[in-house]
Amino acid sequence: MEMSGVVSFCRKYAGCFLLVMVALVYGVFSYLVPFQLDDIWYADLYKGFNGGSGRFSFGAFCETGMYHWLHQNGRLGNLLCPLFVAVFPKWLTAFFVGLCSALLYCVSIKLYAGSRRVGITELLLFLLAFAVLLPWHDNIMVADFALNYLLSALFNVLFILLFLGRQAGRRVAGKFFLLASVSVAFMAGWMHEGVSLPMLCGLTVLLVRRHFKFVAFEWALAVSYAAGAILVAFSPGLWGRIDGVDVGGFSFSVRHMLRTLALCFPVSGFVTAVACAGCLWKRLRERIGNVISSDLFVLSVCIMVSSYFIVIFSKASFRAAFFSELLGIVLVFRLSVSLIPSFGRRVRIAACGLCIVILCAFYSGVLLWQYRIYEQCRCIYVELENRPVLFVDMVEYSPWYTLGQTTDGVWRNPLQFYVLNEHYGANKQVVVLPYSLKDFDCDRAVALGGDAGAVVYEGYTLIPQNDALAAESQRQPYGEMYMNAGFRVKNRDGREYGIYSALIGFNDKDGCVWYLLRPDRWYWNDAFVSVDFDWI
């Protein structure tokens, strides 16, 4: 009797416990992510309007927001960012990110299950998918990116729940509920143009599908969402950035974008393929027809397909797929209810145990390595106050079992050096390099083939400054010392392929400028035998 009481208690409060654990894990994760990249830029921007102070000033906050809307973009997450990186203490920012993560997990479960009661096995399986399938590896836990993508996903899932929920079918909604719903819709549309524009495409398809008939509540939500989307989409800064996008060489761009598309959308791409198969294959359509014909499925697929085009034509990063992949996970679980039979109690218990072990091991590894990176960055920031050029033993890449979700790429990102130069002033040229390059001597380096003039020293690939790089630097946003560029490389196996790599410039002992090639983790261990410029 006592054991049955324990089981009943666990079933009743399992969801609450998981929510607390999600908030705790991602809160700690956020706390261990040092302010970097956009965080530093937004903090300095706000302090510039506030006389160098990090105290809250409504006037400085408004001035910062107006400057950002005119010169960068109109995203609500970015407008809020100065509060979280310059005004609020770090623990409060971490608490907010942890809370948003838990709420996003909660509302995603609600979107998947609807009014159906969800068992602990499904909760754990969904959490496992939430943890490993979403593109956390693209610095989502950096404060500004969390506000842009995590908070954006939360508000947009809430919007879908409101739009497709029971209340939407009623002709009259309570005044308070209506006001709250309209506010959520407006903020969801204002969050990020990379989400709101695909959402508007999906709403348009739904409108046509329903023969241009929305009930009053749905019209109120749709109009409010569109108003928020207009606010973000008509930012002069956003259009200035779009006008300045350089898509690069056609041959490289197509290869790179097709690869990025495949890596960005594995889950949503699978769902799209299942939808197409369901439309063409009668037997499959009979089993999942009720799912693929639902408004949620139609809206989600429209959002996914629209996001594909945004990624292809804007050279967007993996972060752009966050919301689409979340919808993909929701739809995969919905499809699984129709396609996968229910299992017995023993199988469910075994699945719960396996999920718990995997989640504990995974989160432990991620937090451990993020702590090491946190300590490393803390020491580097202290040292940079005194000297701009550092040679340090750094965490190049966290192990495979972290799935790249740590912020190990901060010192491979040209933007990090650019914002630090702006932070410390024009008199400093900030460079943080691996300790192995402290005594770099080009005479002891091994020359590689190709027109880039690349050499290998202590396992690192370096390229000397030349006319091609000087010309390319004129098109780069971060100056001549910090760039991103495309290359054609050949490895020892004779395979040729294109890579997109960061270039971090520094001066050797003779005063000559060299660039350290910093490719992403997919090519980090490749031994190149030749390196060619891909834009010539």
Side-chain angles (χ1 to χ4, degrees):
M1 187 70 178
E2 292 181 358
M3 181 58 68
S4 64
V6 171
V7 172
S8 176
F9 178 85
C10 292
R11 286 178 177 175
K12 185 176 181 180
Y13 294 103
C16 296
F17 177 76
L18 282 178
L19 282 179
V20 172
M21 293 307 299
V22 170
L24 181 62
V25 167
Y26 284 99
V28 172
F29 192 176
S30 175
Y31 188 84
L32 293 177
V33 174
F35 288 144
Q36 56 193 272
L37 303 171
D38 292 32
D39 296 348
I40 300 173
W41 188 85
Y42 281 108
D44 289 344
L45 180 66
Y46 173 80
K47 291 176 181 178
F49 284 105
N50 200 27
S53 172
R55 293 179 178 273
F56 178 72
S57 166
F58 184 73
F61 177 70
C62 291
E63 286 185 86
T64 305
M66 181 56 68
Y67 176 88
H68 187 272
W69 189 79
L70 290 173
H71 298 283
Q72 293 294 321
N73 58 64
R75 300 169 189 167
L76 180 58
N78 284 340
L79 298 178
L80 296 174
C81 185
L83 297 177
F84 290 90
V85 298
V87 179
F88 298 157
K90 177 67 173 173
W91 67 265
L92 185 57
T93 301
F95 174 82
F96 182 79
V97 172
L99 180 63
C100 288
S101 301
L103 289 176
L104 180 60
Y105 169 69
C106 179
V107 297
S108 299
I109 288 285
K110 179 65 176 176
L111 188 63
Y112 145 59
S115 58
R116 183 175 62 84
R117 187 176 179 180
V118 181
I120 187 172
T121 306
E122 289 176 273
L123 291 174
L124 285 169
L125 287 171
F126 197 94
L127 179 57
L128 183 61
F130 184 86
V132 304
L133 295 180
L134 291 177
W136 301 101
H137 57 84
D138 198 12
N139 289 328
I140 293 294
M141 296 307 290
V142 172
D144 178 57
F145 300 152
L147 293 171
N148 265 298
Y149 298 94
L150 197 62
L151 191 61
S152 174
L154 173 60
F155 272 93
N156 277 275
V157 172
L158 282 172
F159 169 76
I160 294 176
L161 281 172
L162 291 169
F163 191 86
L164 300 180
R166 292 180 179 178
Q167 185 65 46
R170 301 175 184 172
R171 294 189 177 277
V172 180
K175 292 181 179 179
F176 177 78
F177 183 82
L178 178 61
L179 179 61
S181 301
V182 166
S183 299
V184 168
F186 179 75
M187 287 190 287
W190 190 6
M191 274 292 165
H192 196 297
E193 75 282 352
V195 175
S196 56
L197 295 182
M199 181 71 77
L200 289 176
C201 291
L203 291 176
T204 302
V205 172
L206 280 186
L207 184 62
V208 174
R209 189 169 182 253
R210 295 185 186 179
H211 306 289
F212 299 93
K213 293 179 181 179
F214 281 170
V215 298
F217 183 74
E218 292 171 333
W219 275 115
L221 290 182
V223 171
S224 298
Y225 192 95
I230 289 172
L231 187 60
V232 68
F234 281 84
S235 160
L238 175 64
W239 286 98
R241 293 175 64 188
I242 292 175
D243 185 58
V245 169
D246 178 16
V247 297
F250 177 80
S251 61
F252 169 76
S253 180
V254 170
R255 290 192 305 270
H256 178 70
M257 284 304 147
L258 289 177
R259 171 183 167 275
T260 301
L261 194 61
L263 293 173
C264 275
F265 299 99
V267 181
S268 51
F270 169 77
V271 170
T272 305
V274 170
C276 295
C279 294
L280 299 175
W281 190 14
K282 182 179 179 180
R283 187 174 180 182
L284 179 62
R285 186 166 63 251
E286 290 174 351
R287 297 190 64 181
I288 64 173
N290 62 323
V291 177
I292 64 175
S293 62
S294 66
D295 284 346
L296 174 61
F297 199 93
V298 173
L299 178 63
S300 299
V301 170
C302 289
I303 292 171
M304 294 172 190
V305 174
S306 301
S307 298
Y308 300 160
F309 287 100
I310 289 177
V311 168
I312 289 173
F313 292 110
S314 68
K315 270 189 175 179
S317 64
F318 292 95
R319 293 188 293 272
F322 189 88
F323 184 60
S324 292
E325 289 296 273
L326 180 63
L327 292 179
I329 292 172
V330 169
L331 295 184
V332 165
F333 273 75
R334 279 212 165 192
L335 288 168
S336 67
V337 174
S338 301
L339 295 175
I340 301 176
S342 59
F343 294 99
R345 184 169 176 269
R346 290 184 179 180
V347 175
R348 293 198 302 271
I349 292 175
C352 285
L354 184 60
C355 285
I356 290 172
V357 170
I358 293 174
L359 285 168
C360 289
F362 172 70
Y363 281 132
S364 297
V366 170
L367 294 180
L368 172 64
W369 279 92
Q370 186 57 50
Y371 174 74
R372 293 180 179 179
I373 295 167
Y374 168 80
E375 287 294 313
Q376 168 192 287
C377 287
R378 186 175 61 83
C379 295
I380 289 176
Y381 284 153
V382 171
E383 289 294 323
L384 286 176
E385 295 285 347
N386 303 315
R387 49 197 176 106
V389 180
L390 293 180
F391 294 90
V392 296
D393 286 321
M394 61 178 68
V395 177
E396 296 282 3
Y397 289 92
S398 53
W400 64 268
Y401 52 79
T402 66
L403 300 182
Q405 293 191 13
T406 64
T407 57
D408 56 8
V410 59
W411 302 111
R412 300 192 303 272
N413 194 327
L415 176 61
Q416 173 74 355
F417 297 102
Y418 175 79
V419 297
L420 285 177
N421 278 337
E422 295 289 316
H423 176 75
Y424 290 117
N427 294 328
K428 286 191 176 183
Q429 188 72 37
V430 174
V431 180
V432 179
L433 297 170
Y435 189 80
S436 302
L437 298 178
K438 184 176 182 180
D439 299 317
F440 171 69
D441 185 352
C442 62
D443 294 330
R444 292 192 290 136
V446 178
L448 301 179
D451 58 19
V455 301
V456 173
Y457 183 87
E458 296 291 339
Y460 294 96
T461 304
L462 302 105
I463 298 175
Q465 188 180 49
N466 51 48
D467 293 339
L469 286 175
E472 175 64 16
S473 68
Q474 301 302 312
R475 301 190 298 154
Q476 296 280 334
Y478 309 132
E480 65 175 350
M481 297 300 283
Y482 316 115
M483 296 187 283
N484 290 294
F487 297 89
R488 291 293 300 170
V489 298
K490 179 189 290 187
N491 63 15
R492 288 179 179 174
D493 298 330
R495 186 166 64 94
E496 293 188 28
Y497 48 91
I499 64 170
Y500 194 64
S501 175
L503 294 170
I504 309 301
F506 69 99
N507 295 96
D508 66 7
K509 61 182 180 180
D510 298 322
C512 299
V513 176
W514 287 80
Y515 292 92
L516 175 62
L517 200 70
R518 304 294 261 169
D520 60 30
R521 66 178 60 250
W522 313 106
Y523 308 114
W524 173 246
N525 291 319
D526 288 11
F528 304 139
V529 296
S530 71
V531 180
D532 293 277
F533 296 121
D534 200 50
W535 66 85
I536 298 178

